[in-house]
Amino acid sequence: MCRQVHGGIEPAWAVTLTFRSTVVDVASGRRNHLFGDLIMCGIVAYIGKRHALPVLIEGLKRLEYRGYDSAGVAILDGKMEIAKSIGRVRKLEELVEKTGGFKGTIGIAHTRWATHGGVTDRNAHPHCDDKKLGHNIAIIHNGIIENYSSLKKYLEEKGHTFESETDTEVLAHLIGELYKGDLEKAVQAALREVTGAYAIAAICKSEPDVLVVARKGSPLMVGVGKDEYIVASDSSAIVAHTTQAFTLADYTVAKLTRDSFRTSTVDDVPVDAQVKELEFDLAEIELGDFEHFMLKEIYEQPGALRTCLKGRVDTRSGQIVLGGVLQHAKMLATARSVTFVGQGTALHACMIASYLMEELGKVNADWDYASEFRYRNPIVEEGTVVVAISQSGETADTLAALQEAKQRGAFSLGVVNVVGSTISRETDAGVYLRVGPEIGVASTKAFVGQVMVATMLALFVGRRRYLSNDFVSSFLKSLEQIPDAIERTLKLSDKVKASVAKYIDRENWLFLGRGLNWPVALEGALKLKELSYIHAEGMPAAEMKHGPIALIDNGMPCVFIATKNSQYEKVLSNIQEVRSRGGHVIAIATEGDEHIATMAEEVFYVPDVPELLQPLVTVIPLQLLAYHAAVLRGKDVDKPRNLAKSVTVE
Ligand code: G6P
């Protein structure tokens, strides 16, 4: 018997959120439209002696940043108890509470970010095998079953009827069809038929002591506790219970009982799994005294950068020790060109990185959206280095660009935060950010970490080409001062909040900067729009007069990054152009610059740091501006609408 409860009616906008995408059905060779498949989401599963429900709900909350359109849970307690709800995990929790709670000690749960198909209870996970088989098996899935349509046809011919539009339900039915009393064997057999990417967890009513999980392409980790296992998309859902864990390798299936596990390939060849200590501090993923993760992460930036620098720079000798690239030093020093690729905030770090590589490394450097690089037939010659910058290390566009570059013969480097992520595994070498987990969907501390690593990388190359030890050593001294400078800048928070309050009803903003502060202007605009849903544009300050100046009237706030540097005077001229058309000027300026106060309605002063390091401080007031604007507008700062932390779909 299977009891299913659903929460809420389907939202009106579900229809407008119905996207379609085509992928190749490998089995049939045809291109198919996908409905309801899930590419980005969080999965958590439990088997042990405790009640599974609280562990699963808590795990889902930790993974909610991965997607928050809908959530679902299945627990075995003699029968298969299933609840699904559109909306946040909290809504699912309330729904289950209304039923009196599910009591079993084994279960699976899922939180979804829809990429295709409607956000509906029906499309939410878990999905079960065919009704006539008694809904014996339930699965959750992160990934995409590319040949789902030919599998579906095969199953329909065998009499299966489907309740949702998802590719995941097809996999559940296939496992059910192949089930002969052994869940592990059925999962292996089904996965032998499947093409695409997956991280799955499966439970079966007839085997209440077995949890089967498997992975290919999508992340999955198994936490090993005392007489219990907690499986999750990432360690944040595991560390509260155990610090012993293993990452499931690609193409691996794990069968977990309460006190043992075995891992094998889909062909049942045994595979080794190495249980390791998780280096993760629970405090890093708790809110503590902060109201939002974003604010916590903004304030963590000084500490995060100190950790990022630790052991990597020696100011006395002018040495930069980047363990992950050391053995490729010669190759990097003789590189013909370096291209940085990324998306979103990471793309802005790429832009800064290319300036730094050109300036400090004296190597031809450029940047591109990973999604554009991937498809524009880029020229890759001998000596081309492609650097993928990514917080998560999972962004599909960035990964695809990287694979394209490698295929064309480029040397690939990764600059990522998440240890063991796909990009870190697929690159020839790389450098970790070491800024700790970033939970807020809007990236903050990862950005400064990316710029810091890019600076070290440029110095690492430059030092081997032409930079003197004295130059590097004095530059590193300034670099080491950056965390303190950020700490001072953070004191602006109340002032920024008061200033933003004056303009909170404005629907259009401009962000302007030159040189390295141009990408910072882009980042300021991105932060404001993604968190407050205010229209904001960033651009090089000089570009304004070539069109956007037509927008300026006395209603428009224009944020200028006008710190003391080689382009300061030019920026002042651009400020005058705005003032003479009635625009409101908000300036980020260098401490001690009295003059600018005569030209701007609001000034946020930042410490004086060398021009090449200015993005690391000028971005701070912009992060605070976006944060306070979102709070003042009553928006969900950590989970902005329609966004997800890492986007694993192209
Ligand atoms: C998403 C996030 C952004 C992030 C971008 C790239 O769009 O909402 O905050 O900058 O992905 O993510 P990555 O993990 O590759 O840095």
Side-chain angles (χ1 to χ4, degrees):
M1 192 192 123
C2 166
R3 179 162 65 126
Q4 293 213 25
V5 283
H6 294 283
I9 50 161
E10 296 178 8
W13 47 268
V15 181
T16 55
L17 271 182
T18 302
F19 305 120
R20 289 180 180 208
S21 118
T22 37
V23 296
V24 175
D25 180 330
V26 177
S28 67
R30 286 196 314 268
R31 294 182 82 79
N32 295 319
H33 286 289
L34 286 180
F35 296 92
D37 54 294
L38 307 176
I39 297 176
M40 166 73 202
C41 40
I43 73 179
V44 55
Y46 176 83
I47 181 166
K49 299 204 163 142
R50 293 187 275 160
H51 280 159
L53 186 68
V55 179
L56 296 175
I57 294 289
E58 192 227 272
L60 283 189
K61 286 183 179 167
R62 300 244 185 239
L63 295 173
E64 210 173 7
Y65 74 91
R66 298 177 65 86
Y68 35 84
D69 291 338
S70 51
V73 60
I75 287 180
L76 284 177
D77 183 18
K79 52 194 174 305
M80 181 81 79
E81 305 268 27
I82 296 185
K84 305 179 188 194
S85 174
I86 55 165
R88 301 289 162 83
V89 173
R90 181 76 204 112
K91 214 167 144 209
L92 174 72
E93 198 176 5
E94 285 164 10
L95 181 70
V96 179
E97 271 164 20
K98 274 191 217 143
T99 69
F102 299 161
K103 301 283 185 288
T105 56
I106 171 171
I108 55 181
H110 188 274
T111 178
R112 178 188 193 212
W113 184 70
T115 51
H116 314 88
V119 180
T120 65
D121 288 346
R122 231 160 18 106
N123 285 342
H125 292 204
H127 289 287
C128 289
D129 60 349
D130 197 65
K131 216 186 296 172
K132 69 175 182 322
L133 299 173
H135 283 157
N136 189 33
I137 291 164
I139 72 164
I140 48 174
H141 167 223
N142 175 22
I144 183 168
I145 307 300
E146 289 174 356
N147 59 337
Y148 88 106
S149 85
S150 49
L151 292 172
K152 190 172 185 176
K153 195 158 167 271
Y154 161 81
L155 289 163
E156 275 168 347
E157 277 162 17
K158 287 196 154 269
H160 287 247
T161 50
F162 292 88
E163 293 166 30
S164 79
E165 300 143 326
T166 66
D167 55 338
T168 303
E169 194 190 359
V170 175
L171 179 58
H173 279 232
L174 184 63
I175 296 171
E177 178 67 29
L178 299 170
Y179 184 72
K180 308 254 169 345
D182 185 330
L183 182 62
E184 182 196 25
K185 286 203 160 46
V187 169
Q188 287 170 332
L191 294 179
R192 286 199 293 269
E193 304 302 324
V194 156
T195 55
Y198 52 78
I200 63 161
I203 52 175
C204 176
K205 216 161 45 181
S206 345
E207 292 176 70
D209 301 317
V210 175
L211 169 65
V212 175
V213 299
R215 172 196 181 179
K216 183 195 151 202
S218 305
L220 201 66
M221 188 171 257
V222 181
V224 182
K226 190 172 172 335
D227 297 331
E228 64 179 10
Y229 295 93
I230 303 108
V231 183
S233 301
D234 73 44
S235 50
S236 63
I238 295 174
V239 278
H241 308 287
T242 176
T243 53
Q244 299 291 305
F246 63 91
T247 301
L248 205 64
D250 267 349
Y251 302 100
T252 303
V253 178
K255 174 184 179 176
L256 312 165
T257 61
R258 285 178 175 74
D259 52 11
S260 69
F261 73 88
R262 80 179 281 266
T263 44
S264 60
T265 65
V266 292
D267 296 315
D268 206 31
V269 178
V271 172
D272 271 349
Q274 284 197 341
V275 179
K276 290 188 183 152
E277 181 79 18
L278 284 175
E279 286 177 21
F280 208 98
D281 180 359
L282 196 55
E284 288 184 323
I285 53 165
E286 301 280 8
L287 263 179
D289 294 335
F290 288 91
E291 219 174 307
H292 299 103
F293 279 107
M294 182 188 179
L295 190 64
K296 177 175 183 254
E297 286 155 11
I298 288 175
Y299 276 87
E300 278 173 355
Q301 290 177 114
L305 289 189
R306 285 185 192 109
T307 313
C308 174
L309 282 170
K310 205 167 170 190
R312 287 171 163 174
V313 298
D314 182 342
T315 46
R316 263 177 310 168
S317 64
Q319 292 260 12
I320 298 119
V321 185
L322 297 174
V325 294
L326 212 51
Q327 70 180 112
H328 305 285
K330 204 166 155 206
M331 190 265 147
L332 291 174
T334 53
R336 271 174 91 133
S337 68
V338 183
T339 301
F340 294 87
V341 293
Q343 296 290 144
T345 291
L347 190 266
H348 301 149
C350 288
M351 296 168 75
I352 295 169
S354 75
Y355 271 82
L356 292 168
M357 187 57 83
E358 220 165 56
E359 188 68 35
L360 295 169
K362 285 279 180 281
V363 183
N364 258 330
D366 62 5
W367 55 269
D368 202 353
Y369 290 93
S371 54
E372 292 299 316
F373 177 89
R374 161 85 179 80
Y375 290 108
R376 74 172 159 80
N377 204 6
I379 292 169
V380 173
E381 304 164 301
E382 209 184 325
T384 300
V385 177
V386 171
V387 186
I389 300 188
S390 170
Q391 188 286 129
S392 62
E394 304 289 348
T395 300
D397 286 319
T398 312
L399 193 56
L402 183 75
Q403 285 158 345
E404 182 66 31
K406 279 174 68 175
Q407 218 166 38
R408 288 169 181 252
F411 183 80
S412 64
L413 276 185
V415 173
V416 305
N417 194 33
V418 178
V419 177
S421 54
T422 310
I423 291 179
S424 77
R425 285 183 280 113
E426 295 222 350
T427 33
D428 296 315
V431 185
Y432 281 120
L433 304 183
R434 295 198 201 144
V435 297
E438 192 179 65
I439 311 285
V441 167
S443 190
T444 52
K445 64 176 177 174
F447 174 76
V448 292
Q450 287 157 354
V451 174
M452 186 61 98
V453 168
T455 313
M456 289 190 280
L457 205 55
L459 286 168
F460 181 86
V461 172
R463 193 173 174 279
R464 282 162 180 77
R465 286 165 68 87
Y466 79 106
L467 293 178
S468 71
N469 267 13
D470 283 355
F471 174 88
V472 176
S473 177
S474 112
F475 198 89
L476 288 179
K477 279 188 193 126
S478 304
L479 197 62
E480 278 194 329
Q481 296 305 312
I482 291 295
D484 292 350
I486 294 180
E487 224 148 52
R488 281 218 327 259
T489 313
L490 288 170
K491 298 206 171 98
L492 283 171
S493 186
D494 287 345
K495 181 173 169 38
V496 172
K497 184 177 174 184
S499 303
V500 169
K502 295 183 202 163
Y503 301 101
I504 200 63
D505 57 339
R506 306 300 158 94
E507 294 301 334
N508 295 293
W509 289 55
L510 281 187
F511 288 75
L512 303 139
R514 283 172 174 256
L516 282 110
N517 282 318
W518 162 40
V520 177
L522 294 179
E523 177 61 8
L526 175 64
K527 283 282 153 294
L528 189 64
K529 65 186 136 188
E530 68 183 337
L531 296 174
S532 300
Y533 322 143
I534 290 171
H535 172 242
E537 274 190 63
M539 68 192 70
E543 182 62 14
M544 179 191 63
K545 58 184 171 297
H546 298 290
I549 198 163
L551 293 169
I552 293 170
D553 58 19
N554 63 9
M556 183 179 270
C558 298
V559 181
F560 277 91
I561 302 158
T563 38
K564 285 280 171 71
N565 57 34
S566 57
Q567 304 200 51
Y568 173 69
E569 298 295 337
K570 301 277 179 207
V571 175
L572 291 193
S573 307
N574 300 135
I575 289 181
Q576 294 293 14
E577 289 156 12
V578 166
R579 275 166 60 82
S580 56
R581 285 158 183 86
H584 295 275
V585 175
I586 298 171
I588 316 288
T590 304
E591 279 171 356
D593 182 358
E594 304 288 333
H595 177 56
I596 203 145
T598 63
M599 304 171 70
E601 275 88 348
E602 312 286 332
V603 184
F604 305 138
Y605 286 110
V606 297
D608 192 6
V609 302
E611 180 164 355
L612 293 181
L613 299 178
Q614 285 184 0
L616 290 163
V617 290
T618 53
V619 75
I620 307 297
L622 301 185
Q623 295 170 342
L624 291 168
L625 188 152
Y627 172 78
H628 288 304
V631 173
L632 287 166
R633 284 193 160 215
K635 303 300 181 210
D636 189 343
V637 176
D638 285 332
K639 297 187 186 73
R641 72 181 179 204
N642 305 343
L643 297 184
K645 183 73 186 152
S646 58
V647 179
T648 48
V649 55
E650 271 191 63

